[in-house]
Amino acid sequence: RNVMSLHVPPPSARSNNFHSNWDMLTQENTALMVTNIHDCVLPGDADRYAFLPVVENLLATLRVHGLLVIHAVTSSRSQPELKLWSAPQDKTRSGCSPSSGEIVIEGQVPFCANLELILRMKKIQNIVFMGNLGGCTQAITEAKDKGFGCWLLEECLPTIVAESKQEAIAVPSSFLLGALSSTSNSLILAVNGTLMRGLELNPNMINAGATFVSEAETDKAYRMWSLDDVCPAMQRVSEGGTNIKLELWSVPYASVPDILKKEPAGLCIGKVRLADGSEVLGVLGEAWKCEGKREITSYGGWRNYIKNKNKDKTM
């Protein structure tokens, strides 16, 4: 059987072979299966589905990448029913509901001959699972037995049952986004200041066609300064660093220069290491720009600083 490695090392210990396997994923050979949350999760169910916003944001980004999306629902139906969704997405329900043209399959085991035929015709080699696994463990087993690479997105699953973890490779979503960005016309950009949602320069991201992916944070190797309370500047350091909160956005390659040109002088783009051990491109500050400026590293991010700076001045 053509199966992938079952060993799932922690992020810090993952080998070059692991990254090589992950780099095999492209937008052409990868499908996304959203399990057991179609038509059953309302926006008011946030307490039961705390992971839902992460799934919604990532699903929106993967749709931009053009991945084949499959919605799987386990039920008592002995013969799985497979159909193409033809109605517009129901905006009154969660962002995880199907969009027109996406596949919906329902049954005791949401993996059947017809679904396999579709995947073969589209030359799909890998299936990435996100959502509420539930009874889909058997589907993962069958997909693997048929030669498909199976992957689990750690933060997009409320629980990863032992059986599923033995049958698929569990990884952070940032690894998937990085793999897809290397084969698509967009990249993942980490922003830590006024480009974030709701802040002054966020319209620059929207106008550039960028799509919000998720909130994230750096590893404990970054310091941050306030540039006259206009915007922050973040640097990687060898000591005195901490986790800095930021946002991940999917940005079309062609739009990156325009975004950078509209940033204040002294800000640049470089590699940023995230808390999960992955690396993405992100906005950083040059050393000269931070000289003599107020250090705000202890706030852990720009949002927390602008929220509390006035309180601190009055204390």
Side-chain angles (χ1 to χ4, degrees):
R1 296 184 302 180
N2 178 24
V3 298
M4 308 194 78
S5 171
L6 302 184
H7 176 54
V8 187
S12 59
R14 286 173 180 147
S15 66
N16 290 332
N17 289 334
F18 171 87
H19 289 288
S20 297
N21 286 337
W22 188 244
D23 290 342
M24 291 167 56
L25 275 72
T26 68
Q27 62 189 54
E28 291 81 15
N29 71 14
T30 304
L32 179 70
M33 182 172 282
V34 184
T35 60
N36 283 336
I37 49 180
H38 157 58
D39 202 35
C40 64
V41 181
L42 294 169
D45 290 336
D47 291 340
R48 291 179 58 203
Y49 296 89
F51 68 102
L52 184 58
V54 178
V55 175
E56 290 178 335
N57 291 328
L58 186 59
L59 180 56
T61 299
L62 295 178
R63 282 170 170 152
V64 172
H65 278 289
L67 261 68
L68 173 68
V69 179
I70 304 161
H71 299 264
V73 184
T74 52
S75 71
S76 58
R77 188 186 296 272
S78 58
Q79 295 297 322
E81 179 186 26
L82 186 149
K83 58 186 176 183
L84 283 179
W85 197 257
S86 58
Q89 189 177 30
D90 186 351
K91 299 298 184 181
T92 65
R93 308 190 79 81
S94 80
C96 300
S97 60
S99 291
S100 180
E102 294 179 347
I103 297 171
V104 177
I105 183 168
E106 179 183 356
Q108 290 181 354
V109 179
F111 197 94
C112 60
N114 288 340
L115 177 58
E116 182 184 2
L117 179 61
I118 291 175
L119 296 177
R120 300 295 185 197
M121 291 177 60
K122 292 183 176 292
K123 299 182 178 180
I124 297 298
Q125 301 172 18
N126 302 286
I127 304 175
V128 178
F129 292 83
M130 59 192 287
N132 190 341
L133 279 177
C136 289
T137 303
Q138 187 175 348
I140 295 175
T141 302
E142 290 196 14
K144 194 195 72 171
D145 287 346
K146 295 178 185 300
F148 293 98
C150 294
W151 308 80
L152 297 169
L153 297 185
E154 292 173 345
E155 66 271 52
C156 297
L157 297 160
T159 57
I160 299 180
V161 295
E163 293 88 346
S164 299
K165 208 163 187 178
Q166 291 174 357
E167 299 291 351
I169 299 177
V171 292
S173 60
S174 54
F175 279 94
L176 172 62
L177 295 171
L180 295 178
S181 292
S182 66
T183 60
S184 72
N185 61 355
S186 64
L187 58 82
I188 299 301
L189 183 67
V191 298
N192 56 70
T194 54
L195 290 175
M196 295 191 294
R197 293 170 298 165
L199 300 184
E200 294 85 342
L201 296 186
N202 183 248
N204 293 350
M205 300 290 283
I206 304 301
N207 295 336
T211 305
F212 173 74
V213 177
S214 67
E215 296 178 348
E217 63 179 15
T218 67
D219 69 2
K220 293 183 178 181
Y222 288 85
R223 293 168 67 179
M224 178 173 276
W225 289 262
S226 171
L227 304 182
D228 303 321
D229 283 358
V230 174
C231 65
M234 185 178 76
Q235 291 185 4
R236 183 173 177 84
V237 295
S238 57
E239 58 183 29
T242 190
N243 302 106
I244 300 293
K245 293 187 180 299
L246 41 71
E247 293 181 355
L248 302 181
W249 286 70
S250 176
V251 183
Y253 276 113
S255 299
V256 174
D258 289 336
I259 293 174
L260 185 58
K261 283 190 293 186
K262 294 175 182 177
E263 286 287 275
L267 298 184
C268 58
I269 291 186
K271 286 189 176 180
V272 173
R273 180 174 288 273
L274 302 180
D276 63 23
S278 62
E279 285 188 340
V280 297
L281 292 181
V283 180
L284 297 169
E286 297 180 22
W288 67 268
K289 192 69 174 180
C290 302
E291 294 177 359
K293 301 302 181 181
R294 180 184 182 185
E295 183 169 355
I296 58 173
T297 303
S298 61
Y299 288 87
W302 182 245
R303 285 191 190 277
N304 193 41
Y305 170 68
I306 59 178
K307 177 182 178 181
N308 294 290
K309 63 178 181 179
N310 292 330
K311 296 178 184 178
D312 294 346
K313 290 178 181 178
T314 60
M315 292 178 63

